[in-house]
Amino acid sequence: MADAGATLNPQLRYVLDAAERARAGELPFHQRTPAAARTWMAERFVPVWNRPVLPIGRVEDVALAGLTGPIRVRHYDPGLSAPAPVLLYLHGGGWTIGDVDTHDDLCRRLAFVGARRVLAVDYRLAPEHPFPAGLDDAKAALAFVLDHGAAMGLDPARVAVGGDSAGAHLALAATMARRDEGRSLPSSLLLIYGSYRYRFDGPDWDRFGHLYFLLSRADTVWFWQNFVGAGYVAGSDVRVEPLLGDLAGLPPAYVVGCDHDPLFDDSRALVDGITAAGGEATLDVWRGLTHASAQFARAVDAVVVGLERIGRSLRPTL
């Protein structure tokens, strides 16, 4: 592990060392119940990484119509006149944990650096709501923004859709589903260290698939099995594994990968696949950083720089 972390960003190393000390005696996620894991996030993660609250012009929770009921969405408006560009954002957390509160600070920052409104989707979580529930909510939210967003002062011609980790997976899968239905597409994709296939091996997993780097192999298997069930067969459903599907005809994709993340190879493979299919994809490598690091802007200067690059990728569509 020491060798694997030799090129870690020094500020992030300080954070990870402190996190490892704080975890002493605690159970990893895969040994907890989903409810207990969510409680830990609410009590331990949210207060540290989201406070004090970063001020923004207007923040309000609204409800969108979903297939089985209303979907809570948090609307961040940095003060843009209508019709405004928007980023539809799907949070990470292995389809099992996370919500609009765990990603509140990140969404506020994305609204500022991207100079656009952000709609953060509180989609249904597994295992209580397994696949395709989360994907159905992502599709419903995307359909609302593209087909009816003008009613909220949004510009349907300037819609980016994105997310981190499991949220990046849902953003990509929802966009591919809409393409397959022959419907209008968002103008761009923002995919931050996503998990796009049911795979837990390879050099990146061997080096960085440990809890110290914030995403262990055992936790990742637990997340995936919550989402699709323990009986899922790898490669059997491209809606579950969008990396294995048809990657042609997608909007331009800005893909963030961290080089100390066991999922880094997924980001590289996605960019290669989109490019080979004739599409446009940019890989932004966050060097020395790990999975989940986008939420550490308060402690790691390199994350602030990375978020600024994301913002520049969003602003040209203004």
Side-chain angles (χ1 to χ4, degrees):
M1 187 117 55
D3 175 67
T7 53
L8 261 178
N9 175 284
Q11 290 177 315
L12 181 58
R13 182 189 295 278
Y14 179 86
V15 172
L16 298 183
D17 286 347
E20 188 168 59
R21 291 192 297 271
R23 279 195 305 268
E26 292 189 347
L27 295 174
F29 283 139
H30 71 275
Q31 294 180 9
R32 302 173 188 246
T33 65
R38 294 171 198 144
T39 298
W40 183 92
M41 289 288 288
E43 294 179 352
R44 298 287 296 276
F45 184 91
V46 172
V48 172
W49 296 107
N50 287 354
R51 297 176 188 167
V53 174
L54 187 68
I56 195 170
R58 176 169 61 104
V59 180
E60 60 179 348
D61 286 359
V62 298
L64 306 183
L67 288 178
T68 61
I71 304 169
R72 182 169 70 129
V73 173
R74 184 162 294 170
H75 182 192
Y76 300 86
D77 180 5
L80 302 178
S81 58
V86 61
L87 167 64
L88 183 74
Y89 196 81
L90 297 141
H91 66 80
W95 310 276
T96 302
I97 58 176
D99 54 28
V100 294
D101 292 325
T102 60
H103 285 62
D104 183 70
D105 184 74
L106 177 58
C107 287
R108 289 169 183 265
R109 291 176 185 274
L110 289 172
F112 278 121
V113 299
R116 61 175 59 211
R117 299 188 193 182
V118 172
L119 289 184
V121 183
D122 210 13
Y123 57 87
R124 288 173 290 170
L125 299 177
E128 297 90 339
H129 304 284
F131 175 82
L135 178 58
D136 285 343
D137 288 352
K139 289 165 59 179
L142 182 56
F144 173 84
V145 172
L146 287 171
D147 301 337
H148 310 289
M152 287 183 65
L154 308 176
D155 184 354
R158 295 183 291 173
V159 174
V161 60
D164 62 286
S165 196
H169 167 281
L170 294 176
L172 176 61
T175 301
M176 292 170 69
R178 193 168 171 92
R179 176 207 59 193
D180 293 343
E181 295 165 0
R183 304 176 71 183
S184 61
L185 297 179
S187 57
S188 63
L189 289 163
L190 170 61
L191 306 174
I192 304 173
Y193 40 68
S195 181
Y196 310 115
R197 56 185 164 182
Y198 191 81
R199 176 186 169 187
F200 317 105
D201 58 15
D204 287 333
W205 275 107
D206 293 340
R207 295 187 70 200
F208 305 117
H210 310 282
L211 190 54
Y212 179 81
F213 297 104
L214 303 180
L215 190 64
S216 73
R217 196 189 316 256
D219 281 350
T220 306
V221 171
W222 182 72
F223 287 137
W224 268 101
Q225 291 184 349
N226 286 339
F227 183 49
V228 295
Y232 177 77
V233 177
S236 62
D237 192 332
V238 296
R239 297 174 303 161
V240 171
E241 300 180 77
L243 184 57
L244 307 183
D246 180 8
L247 297 176
L250 295 174
Y254 192 87
V255 180
V256 173
C258 296
D259 67 355
H260 284 62
D261 183 350
L263 296 177
F264 186 35
D265 192 51
D266 274 26
S267 294
R268 289 179 292 201
L270 178 63
V271 168
D272 290 344
I274 292 175
T275 304
E280 179 184 340
T282 300
L283 178 61
D284 181 0
V285 179
W286 287 15
R287 302 202 178 278
L289 301 183
T290 67
H291 198 79
S293 58
Q295 290 177 272
F296 300 153
R298 295 178 184 273
V300 182
D301 293 338
V303 174
V304 177
V305 175
L307 292 176
E308 284 290 344
R309 291 201 300 269
I310 288 175
R312 288 196 294 272
S313 81
L314 292 170
R315 288 195 295 266
T317 63
L318 282 169

